[in-house]
Amino acid sequence: MSAIYNEQQQELAEQIDGNTSLKHWKDWKWQLKHSIRDIATFEKLLDVEFTTEERTALLETVEKFPLSVTPYYLSLIDRDDFRNDPVFKQCIPNSQELTVGAHDMADPLHEDADSPAPGITHRYPDRVLFHISNVCSMYCRHCTRKRKVGDQDFIPNRETIDAGLDYIRNTPQVRDVLLSGGDPLMLSDEYLDWILSELDAIEHVEVVRIGTRMPVVLPYRITTDLVNMLKKHQPLWINTHFNHPREITASSRAALRMLADGGFPLGNQTVLLAGVNDCPRIIRVLVHKLVQNRVRPYYLYQCDLSEGLSHFRTPVGKGIEIIESLIGHTSGFAVPTYVIDAPGGGGKIPVMPNYLISWSTHKVILRNYEGVITSYQEPENYQSVFCDRNCTDCHLTLKLDDANEYQSIGIEKLLSHDDDAISLIPEDNERHQRRDDDEVE
Ligand SMILES: *Cc1c(COP(=O)(O)O)cnc(C)c1O
């Protein structure tokens, strides 16, 4: 067991707060109170120096995209090679953030446009994103909601949250609520307890998830009190956000252990970041460390087109290469799904290497991770089941009560037997627009 309190942390704590104790260091409120919010303090605490030019550029960057980092996360930076450090790159600004690429957007995911109520993004049929806090303990440089960071540092009041809850109450198709932010764990235990209790009381809400980076940037937020409170609200899933194996420390492992022992299924969402983790070996070490700590790698995200992130973006090919290096090579549950969150609000789209090489009516040709090409014989007498969604006459057993009715959507609709749709036409299809015009005449 490595010590939670290492030399660099000890030194930092002393500089920040005179004769501080381990008790202070491990107090999440102490950490927040002493967050580093300017370049000069960063230089002083880590005893490093930027060039005058660098400093001027950084000050300008902080004006637009503020800086905030917990002493704990700062303590993970290797000061001897800080410019190249994955933790440094995620928390200390880079003047390249000011370069707006031709394709960058303030809100690429259209989260604001797809918001039917305060704090709610309703994109998928059966689940919503509920932003219950506008605060984070650390401002990730690669934040997809960079447009909002720092300028509205507040916890929404009960009225605002109530409006979001009302939307969920009045929308029976919502069976899964994803609490996000900001970081939901910036809320007090009591406030979060209230929100979770309100959600528990809504019958159609089957599961709740919390997305938090606390185990990574402020693991001391995971306290026994917090875990005991959360335990009252099962089924509750928790997703966190580790991007690099260096972030898995004695402190973060302790936090993950408390959450796993609390009975919460844990997942991790990694963002693929140039210069931080765009390497198959780094990701492999990361996913192995995650599963050792009972965290299931859930998503690997392609970096979004948000303004200020262009220096972090990699080609999609890098992500495919990483997934290629995982599938077959390591445990299936250690492989995340690589997704691109579609610009314009189309949601997450999974991207994979191709394993299906060809097929005919009787055979499918596949290749495996080693490059071995193999064939799979299709069944000869499969009786295709015609489905008009009349479960009463079907020989498959699903009690009607369990078969909640829903409208088929998208590609599923083209595949279904009971919908006449034969094509999906883009709104701006010129040929169809011409037809519409003709009809008007
Ligand atoms: C990511 C996301 C979800 C959850 O998606 P899952 O694939 O179920 O994890 C829901 N709503 C929005 C708006 C999202 O961006």
Side-chain angles (χ1 to χ4, degrees):
M1 269 303 287
S2 46
I4 282 182
Y5 214 24
N6 64 29
E7 218 171 280
Q8 185 155 331
Q9 291 174 345
Q10 177 74 50
E11 229 175 85
L12 264 179
E14 278 170 16
Q15 284 188 75
I16 291 171
D17 198 17
N19 57 354
T20 186
S21 63
L22 183 58
K23 188 167 148 267
H24 277 147
W25 181 263
K26 291 173 72 178
D27 172 357
W28 67 282
K29 292 194 169 144
W30 182 93
Q31 288 277 337
L32 285 179
K33 189 171 154 215
H34 294 101
S35 282
I36 291 84
R37 292 173 174 269
D38 65 274
I39 297 292
T41 309
F42 165 78
E43 289 181 278
K44 192 174 106 239
L45 288 179
L46 273 210
D47 192 20
V48 298
E49 250 183 73
F50 292 111
T51 64
T52 314
E53 250 170 53
E54 277 176 325
R55 198 173 303 124
T56 312
L58 287 180
L59 291 175
E60 200 187 326
T61 313
V62 175
E63 282 285 300
K64 178 153 187 210
F65 298 120
L67 151 71
S68 184
V69 49
T70 57
Y72 163 79
Y73 197 61
L74 193 81
S75 77
L76 307 185
I77 296 175
D78 172 7
R79 65 177 94 178
D80 293 332
D81 188 18
F82 73 94
R83 282 184 180 79
N84 200 30
D85 187 278
V87 173
F88 171 84
K89 286 183 179 180
Q90 290 182 71
C91 66
I92 303 299
N94 183 314
S95 58
Q96 284 171 279
E97 290 172 33
L98 297 177
T99 316
V100 177
H103 304 282
D104 294 353
M105 296 170 257
D107 177 20
L109 308 180
H110 281 205
E111 289 188 324
D112 297 337
D114 281 342
S115 177
I120 299 273
T121 304
H122 194 173
R123 170 159 308 147
Y124 300 103
D126 68 341
R127 54 208 190 279
V128 293
L129 199 61
F130 191 7
H131 306 263
I132 56 170
S133 135
N134 269 338
V135 201
C136 280
S137 60
M138 192 277 266
Y139 298 164
C140 301
R141 300 325 296 176
H142 55 278
C143 182
T144 188
R145 304 191 183 115
K146 220 170 159 70
R147 66 187 185 283
K148 294 191 167 168
V149 173
D151 61 49
Q152 296 166 289
D153 249 6
F154 70 97
I155 305 265
N157 61 24
R158 287 195 179 225
E159 252 166 78
T160 318
I161 298 283
D162 252 329
L165 287 168
D166 268 340
Y167 178 80
I168 297 169
R169 275 187 206 107
N170 297 326
T171 316
Q173 57 279 31
V174 176
R175 44 161 287 285
D176 173 6
V177 175
L178 211 166
L179 300 178
S180 177
D183 198 314
L185 296 189
M186 287 294 278
L187 272 55
S188 68
D189 292 0
E190 295 71 32
Y191 197 44
L192 198 54
D193 191 15
W194 169 69
I195 296 173
L196 290 166
S197 304
E198 292 298 310
L199 289 171
D200 288 345
I202 304 174
E203 208 170 318
H204 55 265
V205 173
E206 298 170 3
V207 281
V208 175
R209 305 188 241 177
I210 291 180
T212 175
R213 209 175 179 199
M214 288 295 189
V216 188
V217 296
L218 183 47
Y220 313 124
R221 174 64 183 99
I222 312 305
T223 60
T224 312
D225 284 349
L226 175 73
V227 172
N228 286 338
M229 181 278 285
L230 295 175
K231 271 185 182 170
K232 297 190 298 182
H233 303 286
Q234 295 279 21
L236 183 63
W237 294 57
I238 297 178
N239 262 340
T240 185
H241 175 178
F242 285 92
N243 286 333
H244 194 282
R246 274 271 302 286
E247 295 169 334
I248 299 181
T249 64
S251 297
S252 61
R253 281 199 300 269
L256 294 174
R257 191 180 319 120
M258 288 170 74
L259 291 173
D261 287 348
F264 311 106
L266 302 179
N268 185 70
Q269 319 202 133
T270 294
V271 184
L272 184 53
L273 298 169
V276 174
N277 60 11
D278 51 336
C279 157
R281 293 178 78 174
I282 290 179
I283 296 288
R284 194 193 304 209
V285 175
L286 175 65
V287 297
H288 285 168
K289 285 198 168 190
L290 287 169
V291 298
Q292 273 178 44
N293 288 284
R294 292 180 279 172
V295 182
R296 166 88 156 88
Y298 181 47
Y299 283 139
L300 173 66
Y301 283 98
Q302 175 65 10
C303 187
D304 288 331
L305 291 167
S306 303
E307 275 170 19
L309 304 189
S310 44
H311 61 297
F312 278 130
R313 289 173 51 210
T314 66
V316 173
K318 181 50 77 177
I320 294 180
E321 179 192 346
I322 288 171
I323 299 299
E324 180 77 65
S325 79
L326 295 175
I327 293 179
H329 300 269
T330 193
S331 323
F333 60 79
V335 183
T337 304
Y338 175 42
V339 291
I340 303 180
D341 215 334
K348 298 175 186 73
I349 300 173
V351 187
M352 282 260 268
N354 291 327
Y355 292 95
L356 189 55
I357 293 183
S358 192
W359 68 98
S360 70
T361 51
H362 58 287
K363 271 191 187 181
V364 175
I365 311 300
L366 307 145
R367 63 100 177 170
N368 79 348
Y369 72 102
E370 301 163 305
V372 171
I373 295 180
T374 187
S375 61
Y376 174 85
Q377 180 73 46
E378 297 275 41
E380 264 152 39
N381 39 24
Y382 175 71
Q383 297 287 335
S384 177
V385 184
F386 174 80
C387 174
D388 56 0
R389 296 191 182 222
N390 176 4
C391 297
T392 326
D393 293 343
C394 182
H395 69 281
L396 296 170
T397 49
L398 174 66
K399 290 203 186 73
L400 271 183
D401 290 350
D402 295 338
N404 54 349
E405 280 310 313
Y406 67 96
Q407 204 68 37
S408 49
I409 289 175
I411 310 295
E412 181 198 16
K413 182 169 163 149
L414 298 185
L415 288 170
S416 76
H417 293 132
D418 68 330
D419 195 300
D420 301 340
I422 51 168
S423 57
L424 301 175
I425 317 280
E427 234 171 63
D428 64 349
N429 180 289
E430 277 187 37
R431 188 164 52 85
H432 279 258
Q433 277 173 1
R434 270 199 306 278
R435 280 192 203 166
D436 293 346
D437 291 347
D438 289 347
E439 273 165 21
V440 171
E441 275 162 26

